[in-house]
Amino acid sequence: PGCAECLAWFLATLVGANVAAAAMCMAIGAASPSNSVANLSGSLTMMLLMLFGGFLLNRDQVPFYCRWLSNLSYFSFAYESLAVNEFHKFPADFEFTAPINTSKLPPLRITGDGVLQEFGFAPRAFAFDQAMLLALCAAFVGLTYRVIAASGPRGQLSQGGGGGAGVAVVA
């Protein structure tokens, strides 16, 4: 809340999630035989990771046989890190009110840690979430390298004019 360290962790989390997404898509693209297969595979993988990342579907509601997908989703680690960074030890209380004006429902006051607890986020897992984001980045970059190295040369790229895109020349 308003500290330089919080802003630094916020930016580090966003960059880590972005690098993990880009590296994952590069690995999928490198392993795919065509652009259309890469686009389809990348989109489906991204949707699955979003679904099991904790934002669209509460992690407590995920069936036990699909929980492993939550543990592979970089969205899950980034989402928990961002929530903990924002709400943990927040100096003010949050006040929730009913959408209709009535005197029967008093406003609900809750602390930032209470918000985290309600959504199932653990402040003690912040370092683990950051480490897992970094590990997923490294794993996806390593996987991309292995796939490219195993595929061998596919042709040379010519440095033709027009936008800097190369044209594959296969002998």
Side-chain angles (χ1 to χ4, degrees), residues 48-131:
L48 274 174
L49 292 180
M50 273 191 240
L51 178 65
F52 292 104
F55 186 70
L56 299 174
L57 180 64
N58 194 342
R59 289 185 289 182
D60 297 337
Q61 302 299 320
V62 176
F64 72 93
Y65 49 86
C66 292
R67 292 225 172 115
W68 63 274
L69 283 168
S70 252
N71 296 330
L72 290 179
S73 175
Y74 61 88
F75 283 104
S76 176
F77 301 116
Y79 183 44
E80 184 170 39
S81 291
L82 291 172
V84 169
N85 187 50
E86 185 68 27
F87 290 109
H88 184 55
K89 295 183 180 177
F90 196 80
D93 288 347
F94 296 92
E95 186 173 292
F96 297 97
T97 58
I100 55 175
N101 292 332
T102 178
S103 60
K104 295 179 184 177
L105 296 173
L108 174 66
R109 297 184 64 82
I110 190 167
T111 65
D113 287 322
V115 172
L116 292 174
Q117 183 180 358
E118 186 64 33
F119 286 103
F121 296 129
R124 68 186 181 287
F126 183 78
F128 175 76
D129 292 334
Q130 292 294 323

